Amino acid sequence: MNADFDKKYPLVRVEWVDSCGIRRWSDNSSVKEMTPLDCVSVGWVLRDDETSINLVSSNDGQGEDSNVDGIQCIPRSAVRKVEHLRISRRGSKKG
């Protein structure tokens, strides 16, 4: 576990809405029935302001300035709910 990273960056679950599209010829009824997609993302928050919430889903365990992967920038206007998650340290093995 990476306690330094976890202390600096909160782990959250974000419910948000995304646009969608059809990339083929379609009839009018298909287009009329389309609705935005309900999405859920989980990750550490590296940025959270009035513009966006930026998450990463993985880090290399090297402390608060770890290399990260699974980078996602969600527009604030698309966010419906942010839930802070708690990381349990029970049962973790020490190397």
Side-chain angles (χ1 to χ4, degrees), residues 16-86:
W16 58 288
V17 62
D18 199 3
S19 61
C20 63
I22 299 174
R23 303 186 96 185
R24 66 181 189 288
W25 284 97
S26 300
D27 58 56
N28 285 342
S29 62
S30 297
V31 176
K32 292 176 183 176
E33 294 175 11
M34 289 177 62
T35 60
L37 300 172
D38 293 323
C39 301
V40 175
S41 297
V42 175
W44 287 274
V45 179
L46 270 63
R47 173 181 158 181
D48 186 1
D49 60 26
E50 66 280 349
T51 305
S52 66
I53 183 166
N54 296 5
L55 306 178
V56 298
S57 62
S58 301
N59 71 78
D60 67 9
Q62 299 302 309
E64 67 180 55
D65 291 323
S66 292
N67 290 308
V68 296
D69 191 27
I71 300 161
Q72 189 171 23
C73 177
I74 304 170
R76 261 289 163 194
S77 59
V79 174
R80 290 188 172 158
K81 180 180 178 183
V82 177
E83 176 185 359
H84 287 262
L85 303 176
R86 191 169 160 218

